Amino acid sequence: MTGLQDALDGRWAHVRQEARKQLAGSHFVAVPGETIEQARERVSRLITELPTDPGVAAGFPKEYGGSADPGGSVVAAEMLAQLDLSLMVKAGVQWGLFGGAVVALGSERHHAAYLPDIISAKLMGCFAMTETGHGSDVQQLRTTCTYDPVTGTFDLHTPHEAARKDYIGNAARDGRMAVVFAQLITGGKGYGVHAWLVPIRDEQGNPLPGVTIGDDGHKAGLLGVDNGRISFSHVSVPLEMLLDRYGQVSADGVYTSSIENDTRRFFTMLGTLVRGRVVVGGSSSSATKSALTIAVRYGELRRQFAAPGEEREIVINDYLVHQRKLLVALAHTYALTFAQEELVVALHEVQTAAGAVDEHRQRELESRAAGLKAVQTWHATHTIQLCREACGGAGYLAENRLPGLKADTDVFTTFEGDNTVLLQLVAKGLLTGYRDAFGSLDGWGRAQFVAEQVREMVLERTAARSLIQRLVDAVPGRDEEVALTDRGWHLRMFEDREKHQLDGVIRRLRGGAAQKRDRQFDIFNDVQDHVLSVAKAHVDRVVLEAFVAHAADEPLLEKMCDLYALTVIEANKGWYLEHGRLTPARAKAVTAKVNDLLKQLRPHMRELVDAFAIPEEWLNAAILREEGGRQEDMAAHDLSVR
């Protein structure tokens, strides 16, 4: 293992190494050109063959067959994403969403009754939250589950077509049971969204009475995942099937909860399911690494255009414009890898902590997971397309994997939370300081209150706090006196952009609150663009801090960190110039330094992607299988030219 690979593999390197061993060869690899039926059959078969130790099921309690290792389960999912994204999503639905909801929202009786079969995949399940009419605004779901004390059962009902459960993984083919989210009603009063375990098929795979199941059919990608639609017509659900960790209903219909506020209870319940969002972000980065590995290795072989006076054409990786694509994307991918590592460590510590949940740490985890998921999935969408273009016509062939990666990851920008909504969640956390009373995204609370909340949370360090503070404190007052590669200057520039934009949103909210006191929607809608910029600046700073923490004393990583920091500054050059943080001369110097770094890093491009340590079979690209032959042809050409 190289030093770079060691750094990238991180705390759960043993999980990554075991995945490379246990899933070796081509047995688990997708075949280009599969039909939807073939893909579903293959993935359904393979899901039962996946290792559980370590594996995606590692997050379950030890007493039921898991490893009590939530961080390890996330990393195992990231490794599956390099292998086959359909298989990763199928595993994520089964063990992350369905099984994870049983663990997080259920009681010991639910765990004992169902977890062993969930872990072994004998009981395949669904996570039925999203509705046709409500995806992002989960608090407004329309499915109802009404308790009848006479029968001792709930009546689960889909009141209209927009309330059907939609895009549900495992629903169209394999799911036998679902965790169904619906509005709990008892005694004529609603208590908000809760979850129930509901059987949906019999042992022969036929829908149970009152359950209607449809198939979402062909999607742009993820052919191996059987997404479907589920509707309920007055289905009787026993009282004990309510997942009642946060809300209980007695036999006579009395509702009780340790969390009295409905909004706070709802967001506490959702917060326990944050692992799925962390998995989606990390898996999108895994797919990005596969795409970059293919594109960089192809760029070492592909030649186009000869220099004046030369007969031999130039390797395309030698072109600055190509480096501007691939090396910059590589630097950002490295940065997001280390940010994901910090996030997974935080999730692991929160979910394995003994005693009462630290609410501040939980809210911080949710906010960071939301922001990183948005940035990672957008980066994947952009970078995989860039890699496709960098490989020319070869990149468009299914046999070279890139079209599949592009299609499979496209939904990740809205999967587990729409990215724009997630960035609003990040900004809301910065503005309100995670106050319980302001959990709903539809209102944001009273504008006057929000405008008065100026927390110092924006300056809280997310990684290597003392190191980063020392670097920032050591920066001289005048930027012109600071080297462009000074790490403290990078950190200060990122912090300054974040804090200035947050202060600007506060000022605009105060102005809006003074003018439009009775128009709450308009107050926030008018600053929505600014709100998203704040969130993006915050995530950029979190990512840089993670990279700084992991790059120390490793020369190649230090250069990659320089490239990441300077390209973010360059991309936001307009803001820095507008606000006097860069002079025109220094802005030009930033671009010149980026180009200089690209020249320094050019000889290391292959080394940088090899450090991802993706097995050859997992890459599954024909242009890489032809690599040896192409190298021989190039060598023969060199001899003939001489």
Side-chain angles (χ1 to χ4, degrees):
M1 182 184 293
T2 67
L4 282 179
Q5 183 187 332
D6 186 49
L8 290 166
D9 277 358
R11 174 171 168 175
W12 283 272
H14 64 286
V15 175
R16 300 186 193 278
Q17 293 283 37
E18 282 300 310
R20 293 169 187 135
K21 292 177 184 177
Q22 294 176 346
L23 304 175
S26 58
H27 177 67
F28 290 92
V29 176
V31 179
E34 284 180 315
T35 65
I36 189 171
E37 292 79 14
Q38 290 170 335
R40 286 180 175 183
E41 189 283 325
R42 178 181 58 82
V43 171
S44 295
R45 171 174 48 83
L46 291 178
I47 199 76
T48 63
E49 301 177 20
L50 290 176
T52 58
D53 185 23
V56 181
F60 289 106
K62 291 181 179 179
E63 56 266 36
Y64 302 110
S67 305
D69 185 5
S73 71
V74 172
V75 171
E78 292 176 13
M79 298 305 290
L80 278 186
Q82 290 182 343
L83 179 63
D84 181 353
L85 284 155
S86 282
L87 189 57
M88 183 282 295
V89 170
K90 186 88 168 177
V93 169
Q94 172 67 15
W95 293 308
L97 296 177
F98 174 59
V102 175
V103 170
L105 304 179
S107 303
E108 290 296 331
R109 68 177 186 277
H110 300 115
H111 299 171
Y114 299 106
L115 287 186
D117 284 347
I118 291 173
I119 293 171
S120 67
K122 291 179 181 177
L123 174 61
M124 295 295 291
C126 310
F127 186 80
M129 176 183 283
T130 297
E131 296 179 355
T132 305
H134 284 88
S136 297
D137 192 359
V138 178
Q139 206 167 7
Q140 302 302 317
L141 295 179
R142 296 294 188 248
T143 303
T144 59
C145 207
T146 305
Y147 184 68
D148 180 0
V150 176
T151 62
T153 62
F154 287 95
D155 179 76
L156 176 64
H157 187 59
T158 304
H160 47 74
E161 188 172 347
R164 71 183 177 186
K165 299 300 179 180
D166 212 342
Y167 321 118
I168 308 302
N170 277 351
R173 169 185 166 129
D174 293 331
R176 295 296 184 266
M177 183 175 281
V179 171
V180 179
F181 290 80
Q183 301 287 347
L184 189 155
I185 301 169
T186 183
K189 181 180 177 182
Y191 290 90
V193 174
H194 288 64
W196 288 259
L197 269 171
V198 182
I200 59 172
R201 284 188 174 91
D202 61 22
E203 292 183 0
Q204 287 72 44
N206 302 308
L208 290 170
V211 180
T212 300
I213 301 175
D215 193 327
D216 280 323
H218 278 272
K219 309 181 294 292
L222 298 175
L223 296 186
V225 183
D226 53 323
N227 295 91
R229 304 179 173 109
I230 313 174
S231 296
F232 305 95
S233 179
H234 299 290
V235 172
S236 180
V237 180
L239 174 60
E240 62 269 18
M241 300 302 271
L242 170 67
L243 296 176
D244 58 356
R245 179 178 177 182
Y246 293 101
Q248 304 79 40
V249 175
S250 65
D252 57 359
V254 176
Y255 180 86
T256 56
S257 174
S258 59
I259 305 174
E260 294 184 7
N261 182 280
D262 288 354
T263 296
R264 183 183 173 200
R265 184 190 317 118
F266 170 73
F267 278 93
T268 298
M269 291 169 63
L270 288 194
T272 63
L273 306 174
V274 69
R275 196 186 310 169
R277 193 165 285 165
V278 177
V279 165
V280 170
S283 296
S284 65
S285 284
S286 291
T288 306
K289 292 171 186 175
S290 295
L292 282 166
T293 300
I294 294 168
V296 167
R297 286 175 57 178
Y298 183 70
E300 292 291 288
L301 299 172
R302 178 70 169 171
R303 292 174 176 270
Q304 288 288 280
F305 306 106
E310 298 288 335
E311 293 189 40
R312 190 75 190 276
E313 294 172 310
I314 298 168
V315 173
I316 60 174
N317 277 351
D318 285 343
Y319 286 101
L320 176 64
V321 68
H322 210 67
Q323 297 160 20
R324 273 274 177 178
K325 294 177 182 179
L326 298 185
L327 266 171
V328 171
L330 261 174
H332 285 242
T333 302
Y334 266 65
L336 290 169
T337 297
F338 295 127
Q340 175 74 3
E341 170 81 2
E342 295 281 339
L343 177 63
V344 175
V345 169
L347 176 139
H348 184 82
E349 292 176 351
V350 167
Q351 296 194 345
T352 57
V357 175
D358 184 328
E359 192 164 336
H360 173 74
R361 291 190 69 193
Q362 177 68 36
R363 295 290 177 261
E364 186 182 52
L365 171 65
E366 293 165 23
S367 178
R368 205 189 315 177
L372 280 175
K373 183 267 179 183
V375 171
Q376 285 175 298
T377 54
W378 272 328
H379 176 65
T381 296
H382 168 74
T383 302
I384 294 170
Q385 173 64 23
L386 179 153
C387 290
R388 205 293 298 159
E389 294 177 18
C391 291
Y396 197 60
L397 299 178
E399 68 177 10
N400 291 324
R401 189 84 189 282
L402 294 170
L405 289 172
K406 180 181 174 183
D408 287 346
T409 56
D410 188 54
V411 73
F412 284 17
T413 57
T414 50
F415 188 32
E416 281 292 312
D418 175 89
N419 282 357
T420 300
V421 174
L422 292 183
L423 286 185
Q424 290 182 74
L425 180 64
V426 173
K428 188 190 68 163
L430 296 172
L431 289 164
T432 66
Y434 307 117
R435 292 291 291 266
D436 296 333
F438 302 93
S440 176
L441 283 174
D442 62 348
W444 288 57
R446 289 181 296 111
Q448 183 180 357
F449 173 87
V450 174
E452 291 170 355
Q453 293 299 301
V454 184
R455 282 182 55 103
E456 290 302 316
M457 175 167 277
V458 66
L459 295 180
E460 285 191 9
R461 307 299 183 199
T462 56
R465 292 169 174 81
S466 59
L467 166 66
I468 289 168
Q469 190 62 55
R470 286 198 307 271
L471 291 169
V472 173
D473 290 343
V475 181
R478 289 174 55 82
D479 286 350
E480 289 77 5
E481 300 172 357
V482 184
L484 289 169
T485 54
D486 185 286
R487 192 71 69 232
W489 180 71
H490 297 159
L491 291 160
R492 192 174 72 182
M493 291 286 280
F494 278 54
E495 285 185 0
D496 194 29
R497 172 169 150 251
E498 178 185 1
K499 189 173 188 308
H500 184 95
Q501 292 200 43
L502 181 59
D503 290 343
V505 169
I506 294 290
R507 288 193 298 272
R508 289 182 66 185
L509 284 171
R510 283 176 176 154
Q515 299 171 20
K516 309 172 184 177
R517 289 184 179 277
D518 299 324
R519 294 158 58 192
Q520 298 294 311
F521 171 78
D522 288 342
I523 293 170
F524 287 99
N525 197 47
D526 288 350
V527 300
Q528 200 167 32
D529 56 339
H530 203 153
V531 161
L532 296 176
S533 295
V534 168
K536 183 61 168 61
H538 173 73
V539 177
D540 286 345
R541 193 259 298 171
V542 168
V543 172
L544 177 61
E545 288 187 354
F547 206 156
V548 171
H550 289 264
D553 302 323
E554 172 57 55
L556 196 51
L557 284 180
E558 290 278 11
K559 288 187 185 299
M560 290 289 278
C561 190
D562 289 339
L563 184 59
Y564 168 74
L566 289 176
T567 50
V568 171
I569 292 171
E570 184 183 43
N572 292 279
K573 189 186 295 185
W575 187 91
Y576 286 112
L577 285 166
E578 280 182 9
H579 295 84
R581 269 62 172 188
L582 282 178
T583 64
R586 193 161 174 83
K588 292 178 182 178
V590 167
T591 295
K593 187 60 185 176
V594 167
N595 290 341
D596 178 58
L597 283 167
L598 293 173
K599 291 178 182 178
Q600 294 180 46
L601 289 165
R602 164 62 186 100
H604 303 284
M605 288 179 73
R606 178 65 188 263
E607 179 184 357
L608 288 165
V609 295
D610 284 351
F612 296 143
I614 305 172
E616 203 73 19
E617 297 89 348
W618 295 13
L619 290 170
N620 197 24
I623 49 176
L624 301 188
R625 291 194 290 273
E626 298 166 3
E627 204 169 33
R630 284 176 174 268
Q631 288 172 337
E632 290 177 7
D633 290 344
M634 295 298 180
H637 178 82
D638 283 344
L639 290 172
S640 66
V641 169
R642 291 174 193 155

